Amino acid sequence: KRKDYRTRKDRVERQIQAWKSVLPHLVNAFLKFQSQGLPTRNAEGRNQVPWTIEVISLEGRGHRLFLFTTDATSAAVTLVESGIIPVSPDQPRLGFTIESLRFYRQLRRSGIIPVSPDQPRLGFTIESLRFYRQLRCVCPRFSINAFAKALDFYHAIPHMPYLADQLSNAYDCYLEIIQAVKKIVSAELKRGESWDTQNICPPCLYEVEDEPPLKFRLLAIMDGNNSLKLVDSVFRTGSVRTDTRKSTSRCWISSEEVDLFKEEVKKVCLNISHV
C-alpha cells in the first residue's frame, strides 16, 4: 500500500496559488461583464454541451446552465463573464453572483443609510427590508458566517455550515479582482505608489487659519496584538498553514519598513547613558 505523504498544512497556499494563476483572466472577464453585460449565445455555442452549477444570489438559489464562451480559458472565466464568482478556480460546483458579493461589501463598508421620515424621497422594497432584517437578526456586524446564514434563512432552506467557507473563497476572489481593477485604473491615471501619501492628508491633521491650538493636538492608540493569539503558534498550539498573501492597501506598512526603526529606542538609550 502506497503511503500518502500529503498534509493539509499547505492547503491554503495551494488554493492561493491556484487563484493567482487565473486572476488575470478573471479580471478581464469581470471588466467584460461590467461593460457588456451577460454574454450572448452565438451560432458556435449551439454545438456545445451545456453544464450546470449551483448559483446563490440575493433572489434565490438554484442550478443554472452555462456554455463556454469563445475566449474563455476555463470554467471560472466563463462564470465571471456571466456575473458569477466561483468558490474554486478548478472545477467549480458553486458560485455567488457579483451583485450579492457587492452587496455584502457595501454592508461591511458603510452599513445602512437611514431615510428621513419627513418628505421622503426614497423607499425600500419589502424584500430588501426583509433581507436586512435577517442580517440584523443573525449578527449586526455582518460577518461572513452571518451573511451565509442570512442567505440560507432568506431562501428558506436549512443552514449549510460549509457555505461560510465557500462564501469566503468567493469573496476573497471578488476582492482580488476589485484590487486588480483599481491598479489598472491607477496606472491609467499615472498614479504611483506614493500618490496617496502626497495627495491625501489625515483629516485629524487639517488646520485652518487662526485655529486655536488644542490641548492635545493628536490622540493615538496602539493595538495590543491580542489577535495574534488566534493565529500565532506561540500563543496557540498547532501547525501554522502557509499563507504568502500580503496586504494590497497603501496604508499598510510592511514589516521590513517597520524593522528599519526597531533599534532606534536602544540607540537613544545608549546615547543618554553616555551623556
Side-chain angles (χ1 to χ4, degrees), residues 151-210:
L151 285 174
D152 286 339
F153 295 160
Y154 185 69
H155 298 153
I157 61 175
H159 175 57
M160 306 297 179
Y162 61 83
L163 185 62
D165 292 335
Q166 295 176 328
L167 176 59
S168 178
N169 293 337
Y171 189 62
D172 286 344
C173 175
Y174 174 71
L175 293 180
E176 289 288 345
I177 293 175
I178 295 299
Q179 290 296 331
V181 172
K182 287 183 177 180
K183 287 183 178 180
I184 295 174
V185 174
S186 297
E188 292 295 327
L189 296 176
K190 310 300 182 184
R191 294 179 178 178
E193 294 294 332
S194 60
W195 186 88
D196 289 337
T197 306
Q198 296 173 351
N199 293 273
I200 299 177
C201 296
C204 58
L205 299 181
Y206 282 158
E207 293 183 0
V208 297
E209 294 183 4
D210 301 327

Side-chain angles (χ1 to χ4, degrees), residues 49-117:
V49 178
W51 46 279
T52 64
I53 71 164
E54 189 175 9
V55 176
I56 298 178
S57 66
L58 296 179
E59 292 78 18
R61 177 173 183 167
H63 287 79
R64 296 187 187 180
L65 287 172
F66 294 93
L67 292 173
F68 284 104
T69 54
T70 55
D71 55 348
T73 57
S74 65
V77 173
T78 297
L79 291 174
V80 175
E81 288 184 352
S82 302
I84 309 296
I85 301 294
V87 300
S88 172
D90 304 318
Q91 300 180 350
R93 294 291 182 268
L94 178 68
F96 293 85
T97 60
I98 291 177
E99 290 300 324
S100 63
L101 297 176
R102 182 183 293 119
F103 179 70
Y104 173 69
R105 182 168 179 255
Q106 292 300 328
L107 288 176
R108 295 274 297 180
R109 294 177 63 183
S110 58
I112 303 300
I113 301 176
V115 180
S116 172

Side-chain angles (χ1 to χ4, degrees), residues 95-271:
F96 293 85
T97 60
I98 291 177
E99 290 300 324
S100 63
L101 297 176
R102 182 183 293 119
F103 179 70
Y104 173 69
R105 182 168 179 255
Q106 292 300 328
L107 288 176
R108 295 274 297 180
R109 294 177 63 183
S110 58
I112 303 300
I113 301 176
V115 180
S116 172
D118 301 323
Q119 298 180 351
R121 294 293 184 270
L122 178 65
F124 292 93
T125 64
I126 295 177
E127 293 299 321
S128 63
L129 294 177
R130 184 181 295 120
F131 186 79
Y132 174 62
R133 180 175 177 272
Q134 294 291 347
L135 288 173
R136 294 287 297 181
C137 290
V138 176
C139 178
R141 295 186 180 274
F142 307 116
S143 66
I144 285 284
N145 189 48
F147 189 65
K149 287 183 178 180
L151 285 174
D152 286 339
F153 295 160
Y154 185 69
H155 298 153
I157 61 175
H159 175 57
M160 306 297 179
Y162 61 83
L163 185 62
D165 292 335
Q166 295 176 328
L167 176 59
S168 178
N169 293 337
Y171 189 62
D172 286 344
C173 175
Y174 174 71
L175 293 180
E176 289 288 345
I177 293 175
I178 295 299
Q179 290 296 331
V181 172
K182 287 183 177 180
K183 287 183 178 180
I184 295 174
V185 174
S186 297
E188 292 295 327
L189 296 176
K190 310 300 182 184
R191 294 179 178 178
E193 294 294 332
S194 60
W195 186 88
D196 289 337
T197 306
Q198 296 173 351
N199 293 273
I200 299 177
C201 296
C204 58
L205 299 181
Y206 282 158
E207 293 183 0
V208 297
E209 294 183 4
D210 301 327
E211 179 180 348
L214 301 176
K215 181 178 180 180
F216 302 102
R217 184 171 180 270
L218 178 66
L219 298 178
I221 188 171
M222 181 177 292
D223 186 8
N225 277 339
N226 290 328
S227 57
L228 285 176
K229 298 178 181 179
L230 302 177
V231 296
D232 198 318
S233 58
V234 175
F235 301 95
R236 185 177 182 179
T237 58
S239 58
V240 180
R241 292 179 178 175
T242 305
D243 190 341
T244 57
R245 288 176 293 184
K246 296 182 179 180
S247 174
T248 57
S249 173
R250 295 177 181 176
C251 300
W252 182 265
I253 303 177
S254 64
S255 300
E256 292 76 15
E257 294 176 283
V258 175
D259 289 343
L260 294 175
F261 307 95
K262 65 180 180 179
E263 303 294 341
E264 291 297 319
V265 176
K266 184 184 296 185
K267 292 179 181 178
V268 172
C269 294
L270 290 175
N271 293 334

